[in-house]
Short mmCIF file of all heavy atoms in Angstrom, two decimals:
data_model
loop_
_atom_site.label_atom_id
_atom_site.label_comp_id
_atom_site.label_asym_id
_atom_site.label_seq_id
_atom_site.Cartn_x
_atom_site.Cartn_y
_atom_site.Cartn_z
N ASN A 218 101.48 43.01 154.43
CA ASN A 218 101.13 43.70 153.18
C ASN A 218 102.36 43.87 152.28
O ASN A 218 102.23 44.11 151.09
CB ASN A 218 100.52 45.07 153.49
CG ASN A 218 99.98 45.75 152.25
OD1 ASN A 218 99.20 45.18 151.50
ND2 ASN A 218 100.41 46.98 152.02
N GLN A 219 103.55 43.74 152.87
CA GLN A 219 104.78 43.90 152.12
C GLN A 219 105.30 42.58 151.54
O GLN A 219 106.32 42.57 150.85
CB GLN A 219 105.86 44.55 153.00
CG GLN A 219 105.52 45.97 153.39
CD GLN A 219 106.54 46.65 154.28
OE1 GLN A 219 106.37 47.80 154.64
NE2 GLN A 219 107.60 45.96 154.66
N ILE A 220 104.60 41.47 151.80
CA ILE A 220 104.98 40.20 151.17
C ILE A 220 104.76 40.35 149.66
O ILE A 220 103.79 40.96 149.21
CB ILE A 220 104.12 39.04 151.71
CG1 ILE A 220 104.29 38.92 153.23
CG2 ILE A 220 104.50 37.72 151.04
CD1 ILE A 220 103.31 37.95 153.86
N GLU A 221 105.69 39.80 148.88
CA GLU A 221 105.55 39.88 147.42
C GLU A 221 104.20 39.33 146.97
O GLU A 221 103.68 38.38 147.56
CB GLU A 221 106.70 39.12 146.75
CG GLU A 221 108.06 39.75 147.00
CD GLU A 221 109.20 38.96 146.37
OE1 GLU A 221 108.92 37.95 145.69
OE2 GLU A 221 110.36 39.34 146.56
N THR A 222 103.65 39.92 145.92
CA THR A 222 102.30 39.57 145.47
C THR A 222 102.15 38.08 145.17
O THR A 222 101.12 37.47 145.45
CB THR A 222 101.93 40.39 144.22
OG1 THR A 222 102.06 41.79 144.53
CG2 THR A 222 100.51 40.10 143.78
N ASP A 223 103.21 37.48 144.61
CA ASP A 223 103.15 36.05 144.31
C ASP A 223 103.75 35.21 145.43
O ASP A 223 104.06 34.03 145.24
CB ASP A 223 103.86 35.74 142.99
CG ASP A 223 105.32 36.18 143.00
OD1 ASP A 223 105.72 36.90 143.94
OD2 ASP A 223 106.05 35.83 142.06
N GLY A 224 103.91 35.80 146.61
CA GLY A 224 104.46 35.10 147.75
C GLY A 224 103.38 34.41 148.58
O GLY A 224 102.21 34.35 148.19
N ILE A 225 103.80 33.91 149.75
CA ILE A 225 102.87 33.16 150.61
C ILE A 225 103.06 33.60 152.06
O ILE A 225 104.20 33.72 152.54
CB ILE A 225 103.12 31.64 150.51
CG1 ILE A 225 102.93 31.15 149.07
CG2 ILE A 225 102.17 30.87 151.45
CD1 ILE A 225 103.29 29.69 148.87
N LEU A 226 101.96 33.82 152.75
CA LEU A 226 101.95 34.05 154.19
C LEU A 226 101.54 32.77 154.89
O LEU A 226 100.45 32.24 154.65
CB LEU A 226 100.97 35.17 154.54
CG LEU A 226 100.61 35.32 156.03
CD1 LEU A 226 101.85 35.63 156.86
CD2 LEU A 226 99.53 36.39 156.23
N PHE A 227 102.43 32.24 155.74
CA PHE A 227 102.11 31.11 156.60
C PHE A 227 101.75 31.68 157.97
O PHE A 227 102.62 32.16 158.70
CB PHE A 227 103.31 30.16 156.70
CG PHE A 227 103.68 29.52 155.39
CD1 PHE A 227 104.56 30.16 154.52
CD2 PHE A 227 103.14 28.30 155.01
CE1 PHE A 227 104.90 29.58 153.31
CE2 PHE A 227 103.47 27.71 153.80
CZ PHE A 227 104.36 28.35 152.94
N MET A 228 100.48 31.65 158.29
CA MET A 228 99.95 32.35 159.45
C MET A 228 99.39 31.37 160.46
O MET A 228 98.68 30.43 160.11
CB MET A 228 98.83 33.30 158.98
CG MET A 228 98.14 34.11 160.05
SD MET A 228 96.77 35.07 159.34
CE MET A 228 95.53 33.78 159.10
N LYS A 229 99.74 31.57 161.72
CA LYS A 229 99.13 30.73 162.75
C LYS A 229 97.61 30.89 162.70
O LYS A 229 97.10 32.01 162.64
CB LYS A 229 99.65 31.08 164.14
CG LYS A 229 99.06 30.18 165.22
CD LYS A 229 99.65 30.44 166.58
CE LYS A 229 98.95 29.59 167.63
NZ LYS A 229 99.49 29.77 168.98
N GLN A 230 96.92 29.77 162.74
CA GLN A 230 95.47 29.80 162.62
C GLN A 230 94.87 30.67 163.72
O GLN A 230 95.23 30.59 164.88
CB GLN A 230 94.90 28.39 162.72
CG GLN A 230 93.41 28.32 162.40
CD GLN A 230 92.93 26.88 162.30
OE1 GLN A 230 93.21 26.08 163.18
NE2 GLN A 230 92.20 26.54 161.25
N GLY A 231 93.93 31.53 163.32
CA GLY A 231 93.24 32.38 164.27
C GLY A 231 93.70 33.82 164.28
O GLY A 231 93.03 34.69 164.84
N LEU A 232 94.86 34.10 163.67
CA LEU A 232 95.31 35.49 163.61
C LEU A 232 94.49 36.26 162.58
O LEU A 232 94.00 35.69 161.60
CB LEU A 232 96.80 35.55 163.24
CG LEU A 232 97.78 34.87 164.20
CD1 LEU A 232 99.21 35.11 163.73
CD2 LEU A 232 97.60 35.38 165.62
N SER A 233 94.38 37.54 162.80
CA SER A 233 93.54 38.38 161.92
C SER A 233 94.42 39.17 160.95
O SER A 233 94.53 40.40 161.04
CB SER A 233 92.69 39.33 162.77
OG SER A 233 91.85 38.61 163.65
N LEU A 234 95.01 38.44 160.00
CA LEU A 234 95.93 39.08 159.05
C LEU A 234 95.61 38.77 157.60
O LEU A 234 96.17 39.38 156.70
CB LEU A 234 97.37 38.63 159.34
CG LEU A 234 97.98 39.05 160.68
CD1 LEU A 234 99.34 38.37 160.87
CD2 LEU A 234 98.14 40.57 160.75
N ALA A 235 94.71 37.81 157.37
CA ALA A 235 94.46 37.33 156.00
C ALA A 235 94.02 38.44 155.07
O ALA A 235 94.35 38.44 153.88
CB ALA A 235 93.43 36.20 156.03
N ASP A 236 93.26 39.41 155.58
CA ASP A 236 92.75 40.48 154.73
C ASP A 236 93.73 41.65 154.60
O ASP A 236 93.42 42.66 153.98
CB ASP A 236 91.41 41.00 155.26
CG ASP A 236 91.52 41.60 156.66
OD1 ASP A 236 92.53 41.31 157.34
OD2 ASP A 236 90.61 42.34 157.07
N LYS A 237 94.92 41.49 155.18
CA LYS A 237 95.91 42.57 155.15
C LYS A 237 97.00 42.34 154.10
O LYS A 237 97.91 43.15 153.97
CB LYS A 237 96.58 42.71 156.53
CG LYS A 237 95.62 42.95 157.69
CD LYS A 237 94.92 44.28 157.58
CE LYS A 237 94.23 44.68 158.87
NZ LYS A 237 93.21 43.71 159.33
N THR A 238 96.93 41.23 153.36
CA THR A 238 98.01 40.89 152.44
C THR A 238 97.47 40.54 151.06
O THR A 238 96.33 40.07 150.92
CB THR A 238 98.85 39.71 152.97
OG1 THR A 238 99.92 39.44 152.09
CG2 THR A 238 97.99 38.46 153.13
N LYS A 239 98.29 40.80 150.05
CA LYS A 239 97.95 40.41 148.67
C LYS A 239 98.45 39.01 148.37
O LYS A 239 98.11 38.42 147.35
CB LYS A 239 98.59 41.40 147.69
CG LYS A 239 98.21 42.86 147.93
CD LYS A 239 98.92 43.79 146.98
CE LYS A 239 100.41 43.89 147.28
NZ LYS A 239 100.71 44.52 148.57
N ALA A 240 99.26 38.46 149.26
CA ALA A 240 99.85 37.14 149.05
C ALA A 240 98.85 36.03 149.36
O ALA A 240 97.82 36.26 150.01
CB ALA A 240 101.09 36.98 149.93
N GLU A 241 99.17 34.82 148.91
CA GLU A 241 98.37 33.66 149.29
C GLU A 241 98.54 33.40 150.78
O GLU A 241 99.62 33.57 151.33
CB GLU A 241 98.85 32.44 148.49
CG GLU A 241 98.09 31.16 148.79
CD GLU A 241 98.61 29.96 148.03
OE1 GLU A 241 99.41 30.15 147.09
OE2 GLU A 241 98.25 28.82 148.39
N VAL A 242 97.45 33.00 151.44
CA VAL A 242 97.49 32.76 152.88
C VAL A 242 97.26 31.29 153.17
O VAL A 242 96.30 30.69 152.68
CB VAL A 242 96.42 33.61 153.62
CG1 VAL A 242 96.45 33.30 155.12
CG2 VAL A 242 96.66 35.09 153.38
N ARG A 243 98.16 30.72 153.99
CA ARG A 243 98.00 29.35 154.46
C ARG A 243 98.12 29.36 155.98
O ARG A 243 98.96 30.08 156.53
CB ARG A 243 99.04 28.42 153.84
CG ARG A 243 98.94 28.36 152.32
CD ARG A 243 99.94 27.42 151.73
NE ARG A 243 100.01 27.52 150.28
CZ ARG A 243 100.91 26.90 149.53
NH1 ARG A 243 101.80 26.08 150.12
NH2 ARG A 243 100.93 27.06 148.22
N GLN A 244 97.29 28.55 156.63
CA GLN A 244 97.25 28.58 158.09
C GLN A 244 97.83 27.29 158.68
O GLN A 244 97.75 26.22 158.07
CB GLN A 244 95.82 28.78 158.58
CG GLN A 244 95.20 30.09 158.12
CD GLN A 244 93.92 30.42 158.84
OE1 GLN A 244 93.86 30.42 160.07
NE2 GLN A 244 92.87 30.70 158.09
N TYR A 245 98.43 27.44 159.84
CA TYR A 245 99.00 26.30 160.55
C TYR A 245 98.71 26.45 162.04
O TYR A 245 98.41 27.55 162.53
CB TYR A 245 100.51 26.21 160.33
CG TYR A 245 101.29 27.23 161.14
CD1 TYR A 245 101.76 26.93 162.42
CD2 TYR A 245 101.52 28.51 160.64
CE1 TYR A 245 102.45 27.87 163.17
CE2 TYR A 245 102.20 29.46 161.38
CZ TYR A 245 102.65 29.14 162.65
OH TYR A 245 103.32 30.07 163.39
N SER A 246 98.77 25.37 162.76
CA SER A 246 98.71 25.40 164.23
C SER A 246 99.10 24.02 164.74
O SER A 246 99.47 23.13 163.96
CB SER A 246 97.31 25.79 164.73
OG SER A 246 96.40 24.72 164.56
N LEU A 247 99.00 23.84 166.03
CA LEU A 247 99.36 22.55 166.62
C LEU A 247 98.41 21.45 166.18
O LEU A 247 98.83 20.33 165.91
CB LEU A 247 99.36 22.66 168.16
CG LEU A 247 99.88 21.44 168.93
CD1 LEU A 247 101.37 21.22 168.64
CD2 LEU A 247 99.65 21.63 170.42
N LYS A 248 97.10 21.79 166.05
CA LYS A 248 96.11 20.74 165.83
C LYS A 248 95.20 20.94 164.63
O LYS A 248 94.37 20.07 164.35
CB LYS A 248 95.25 20.58 167.09
CG LYS A 248 96.04 20.14 168.32
CD LYS A 248 95.12 20.00 169.53
CE LYS A 248 95.91 19.54 170.75
NZ LYS A 248 95.04 19.41 171.95
N ALA A 249 95.30 22.08 163.93
CA ALA A 249 94.37 22.33 162.83
C ALA A 249 94.98 23.30 161.84
O ALA A 249 95.98 23.96 162.12
CB ALA A 249 93.05 22.87 163.37
N GLY A 250 94.34 23.39 160.66
CA GLY A 250 94.79 24.31 159.63
C GLY A 250 95.22 23.57 158.38
O GLY A 250 94.93 22.38 158.19
N ASP A 251 95.91 24.26 157.47
CA ASP A 251 96.46 23.62 156.28
C ASP A 251 97.64 22.73 156.64
O ASP A 251 97.95 21.77 155.93
CB ASP A 251 96.91 24.69 155.27
CG ASP A 251 95.77 25.59 154.85
OD1 ASP A 251 94.75 25.07 154.36
OD2 ASP A 251 95.88 26.83 155.02
N TYR A 252 98.32 23.08 157.75
CA TYR A 252 99.45 22.31 158.26
C TYR A 252 99.25 22.14 159.76
O TYR A 252 98.96 23.12 160.46
CB TYR A 252 100.78 23.04 158.02
CG TYR A 252 101.03 23.44 156.58
CD1 TYR A 252 100.48 24.61 156.07
CD2 TYR A 252 101.83 22.66 155.75
CE1 TYR A 252 100.71 24.99 154.75
CE2 TYR A 252 102.07 23.03 154.43
CZ TYR A 252 101.50 24.20 153.94
OH TYR A 252 101.73 24.56 152.63
N TYR A 253 99.42 20.93 160.27
CA TYR A 253 99.24 20.70 161.70
C TYR A 253 99.91 19.38 162.09
O TYR A 253 100.36 18.61 161.23
CB TYR A 253 97.75 20.68 162.07
CG TYR A 253 96.93 19.62 161.36
CD1 TYR A 253 96.71 18.37 161.94
CD2 TYR A 253 96.35 19.89 160.11
CE1 TYR A 253 95.95 17.40 161.29
CE2 TYR A 253 95.59 18.93 159.46
CZ TYR A 253 95.40 17.70 160.05
OH TYR A 253 94.66 16.74 159.40
N SER A 254 99.97 19.13 163.39
CA SER A 254 100.55 17.88 163.88
C SER A 254 99.45 16.91 164.27
O SER A 254 98.36 17.32 164.66
CB SER A 254 101.45 18.15 165.09
OG SER A 254 100.68 18.56 166.22
N GLN A 255 99.76 15.62 164.16
CA GLN A 255 98.86 14.58 164.67
C GLN A 255 99.71 13.47 165.26
O GLN A 255 100.92 13.41 165.06
CB GLN A 255 97.94 14.05 163.57
CG GLN A 255 98.62 13.25 162.50
CD GLN A 255 97.64 12.69 161.46
OE1 GLN A 255 96.50 13.13 161.36
NE2 GLN A 255 98.08 11.70 160.70
N ASN A 256 99.05 12.58 166.01
CA ASN A 256 99.75 11.48 166.71
C ASN A 256 100.89 12.01 167.58
O ASN A 256 101.97 11.41 167.66
CB ASN A 256 100.30 10.45 165.71
CG ASN A 256 99.21 9.75 164.93
OD1 ASN A 256 98.11 9.54 165.45
ND2 ASN A 256 99.49 9.41 163.68
N LEU A 257 100.65 13.13 168.23
CA LEU A 257 101.68 13.74 169.08
C LEU A 257 101.80 12.97 170.38
O LEU A 257 100.82 12.73 171.08
CB LEU A 257 101.30 15.20 169.36
CG LEU A 257 102.21 15.99 170.33
CD1 LEU A 257 103.64 16.02 169.84
CD2 LEU A 257 101.65 17.41 170.51
N ARG A 258 103.02 12.55 170.69
CA ARG A 258 103.27 11.84 171.95
C ARG A 258 104.67 12.17 172.45
O ARG A 258 105.50 12.68 171.69
CB ARG A 258 103.09 10.34 171.78
CG ARG A 258 104.07 9.64 170.86
CD ARG A 258 103.57 9.51 169.44
NE ARG A 258 104.38 8.59 168.64
CZ ARG A 258 104.43 8.68 167.31
NH1 ARG A 258 103.75 9.60 166.66
NH2 ARG A 258 105.16 7.81 166.62
N ILE A 259 104.89 11.87 173.72
CA ILE A 259 106.18 12.12 174.35
C ILE A 259 106.81 10.78 174.72
O ILE A 259 106.18 9.93 175.34
CB ILE A 259 106.01 12.98 175.62
CG1 ILE A 259 105.39 14.33 175.27
CG2 ILE A 259 107.35 13.19 176.33
CD1 ILE A 259 104.99 15.17 176.48
N ASP A 260 108.06 10.62 174.30
CA ASP A 260 108.78 9.38 174.58
C ASP A 260 110.23 9.72 174.91
O ASP A 260 110.95 10.25 174.06
CB ASP A 260 108.71 8.45 173.37
CG ASP A 260 109.37 7.10 173.66
OD1 ASP A 260 109.56 6.75 174.84
OD2 ASP A 260 109.70 6.40 172.68
N GLN A 261 110.63 9.44 176.13
CA GLN A 261 112.00 9.69 176.59
C GLN A 261 112.41 11.14 176.32
O GLN A 261 113.48 11.42 175.76
CB GLN A 261 112.98 8.71 175.92
CG GLN A 261 112.71 7.26 176.30
CD GLN A 261 113.71 6.30 175.68
OE1 GLN A 261 114.45 6.66 174.77
NE2 GLN A 261 113.75 5.08 176.19
#
Side-chain angles (χ1 to χ4, degrees):
N218 188 52
Q219 294 179 179
I220 302 170
E221 294 178 3
T222 303
D223 58 350
I225 301 174
L226 167 61
F227 296 88
M228 179 185 76
K229 181 175 176 179
Q230 189 172 49
L232 299 184
S233 301
L234 295 173
D236 62 342
K237 303 294 194 301
T238 183
K239 304 177 290 294
E241 180 182 347
V242 178
R243 299 182 190 173
Q244 299 193 52
Y245 76 91
S246 74
L247 187 65
K248 297 180 179 179
D251 301 304
Y252 306 83
Y253 59 93
S254 68
Q255 69 177 17
N256 297 327
L257 176 58
R258 64 267 192 204
I259 300 171
D260 184 19
Q261 297 182 345

